[in-house]
């Protein structure tokens, strides 16, 4: 049995990108619905991130449109603090996602986007007909574990993606191999070391290691000075802070940290203490894995090591191609990423948009969402009249859906006030690094 739902704008995904897009549309009185496969908003932050996570950039680079962080928030906001901020954001701008909706297909037909969605609560098929569709599932749709000979067939230890890692308590005393030297990999390795695990970390490619404050200084200076000049200053500061990291297996790329970000899309790694553990010998740097067997890992240099567990901090990939007929909107390539580079990545054809796919993090979302809302608002007068007449009906549907969704455990209470963000991190730890 299918239920047909007509709407002006359908937003797929209730992470920061989906919330921001809906908020911007709501401010312009443009009817929209947000559908989300999980039973809560921002599930990547709530369910698939480790406990010690903080935003790696200063708060002014992480706020969503039309709502800055409060002045009493710490400079680098914690995971819990950011979740509280998102809850308050959704409440303030009347964003009410429809949860437990798994998108099965989306295609363009007769001037409308036809999106088939499974309501996991009722098992009914919902068919949404929308003039505009926004893909807001982002670059981090699903975790990636590389194909390694023997991993699936014969490895007898535990292996997991970083999205499944919470903390290092259960790994105390065990040999753990962390694959990946990005922010997640380095931070998880540090967390494991502090929980007295025996940790090795695979560093497969050159990496820029910075502190939060060096990156903050660099991002502030980029408003006034060329990238190459800012890179020189940041590299000098990093050299003063860490010394020659290549001695410990952390070789820097040829390009500076911000130029490297522009060219490759890879952000510098923010050190939270992992470099110190590497220097002291508590964390061992190893090269890429060649194969695994039983509990033995062989590396490309011929050395081997017995491990109990492997944590793959090997990133994510877009899941757009699983449900979208990509040719219909001429926006995404076969990998589920925009065909065009930033800043022309957010608009396709036939009313298809993307938010959160520009490899620019939360700052990119804060640019994409208003762009999409303004573009949709620039409709022909006849279409604008339809928006006004449909507004009251769609708000009733939103309110009804919000009432139903309160049965979810994540939605049973009003979000904590964000004025308490300063309590999440003790004052003496708020401005570390």
């Amino acid at each position: 049995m299918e239920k047909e739902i007509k709407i002006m704008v359908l937003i797929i995904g209730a992470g920061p990108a989906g919330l921001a897009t809906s908020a911007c549309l709501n401010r312009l009185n443009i009817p929209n619905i947000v559908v989300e496969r999980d039973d809560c908003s921002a599930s990547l932050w709530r369910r698939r991130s480790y406990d010690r996570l903080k935003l790696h950039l200063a708060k002014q680079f992480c706020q969503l449109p039309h709502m800055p962080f409060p002045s009493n928030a710490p400079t680098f906001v914690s995971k819990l603090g950011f979740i509280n901020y998102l809850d308050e954001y959704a409440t303030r701008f009347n964003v009410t996602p429809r949860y437990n909706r798994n998108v099965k297909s989306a295609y363009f037909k007769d001037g409308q986007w036809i999106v088939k969605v499974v309501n996991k609560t009722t098992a009914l098929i919902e068919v949404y007909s929308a003039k505009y569709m926004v893909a807001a599932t982002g670059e981090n749709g699903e975790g990636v574990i590389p194909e390694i000979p023997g991993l699936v067939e014969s490895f007898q230890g535990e292996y997991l993606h970083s999205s499944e890692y919470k903390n290092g308590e259960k790994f105390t005393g065990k040999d753990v191999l962390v694959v990946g030297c990005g922010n997640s990999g380095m931070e998880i390795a540090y967390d494991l070391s502090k929980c007295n695990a025996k940790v090795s970390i695979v560093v497969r490619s050159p990496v820029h290691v910075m502190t939060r404050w060096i990156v903050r200084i660099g991002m502030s200076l980029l408003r006034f000075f060329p990238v190459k000049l800012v890179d020189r200053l940041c590299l000098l500061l990093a050299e003063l802070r860490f010394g020659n990291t290549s001695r410990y297996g952390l070789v820097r790329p040829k390009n500076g940290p911000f130029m490297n970000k522009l060219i490759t899309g890879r952000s510098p790694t923010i050190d939270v203490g992992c470099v110190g553990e590497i220097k002291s010998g508590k964390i061992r740097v190893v090269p890429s894995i060649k194969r695994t067997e039983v509990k033995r890992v062989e590396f490309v240099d011929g050395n081997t090591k017995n491990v109990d567990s492997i944590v793959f901090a090997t990133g994510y990939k877009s899941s757009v191609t699983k449900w979208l007929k990509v040719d219909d909107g001429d926006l995404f390539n076969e990998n589920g990423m925009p065909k065009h580079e930033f800043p022309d990545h957010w608009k396709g054809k036939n009313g298809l948009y993307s938010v959160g796919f520009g490899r620019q993090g939360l700052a990119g979302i804060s640019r994409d969402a208003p762009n999409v809302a303004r573009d949709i608002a620039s409709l022909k007068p006849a279409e604008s009249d339809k928006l006004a007449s449909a507004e009251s009906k769609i708000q009733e549907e939103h309110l009804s859906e919000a009432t139903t969704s309160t049965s979810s455990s994540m939605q049973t209470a009003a979000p904590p006030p964000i004025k308490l963000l300063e309590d999440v991190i003790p004052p003496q730890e708020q401005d570390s690094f």
Side-chain angles (χ1 to χ4, degrees), residues 367-401:
R367 286 189 292 265
D368 292 348
N371 283 340
V372 170
R374 284 192 294 266
D375 198 69
I376 292 175
S378 62
L379 303 171
K380 291 184 295 185
E383 291 175 331
S384 298
D385 293 340
K386 293 178 183 178
L387 289 179
S389 63
E391 175 64 17
S392 59
K393 181 178 179 181
I394 203 67
Q395 288 300 332
E396 290 176 3
E397 291 181 359
H398 276 177
L399 290 173
S400 175
E401 184 65 28

Side-chain angles (χ1 to χ4, degrees), residues 102-117:
N102 191 17
V103 176
K104 288 300 184 181
S105 66
Y107 56 91
F108 189 74
K109 181 180 179 181
D110 298 331
Q112 298 286 316
W113 283 97
I114 309 302
V115 184
K116 292 190 176 182
V117 176

Side-chain angles (χ1 to χ4, degrees), residues 349-363:
K349 296 179 179 179
N350 300 328
L352 179 63
Y353 300 89
S354 72
V355 175
F357 286 85
R359 301 186 188 278
Q360 301 290 316
L362 292 165

Side-chain angles (χ1 to χ4, degrees), residues 170-188:
K170 74 172 187 176
F171 299 98
T172 299
K174 294 183 178 181
D175 278 291
V176 184
L177 178 65
V178 178
V179 182
C181 60
N183 284 310
S184 294
M186 295 278 269
E187 194 155 350
I188 288 171

Side-chain angles (χ1 to χ4, degrees), residues 107 222 271 286 297:
Y107 56 91
L222 284 172
D271 180 59
V286 295
V297 176

Side-chain angles (χ1 to χ4, degrees), residues 151-171:
L151 180 66
V152 176
E153 302 88 350
S154 61
F155 184 66
Q156 295 181 5
E158 175 189 17
Y159 68 91
L160 65 153
H161 189 263
S162 58
S163 59
E164 302 174 82
Y165 178 91
K166 295 302 178 186
N167 57 65
E169 292 180 1
K170 74 172 187 176
F171 299 98

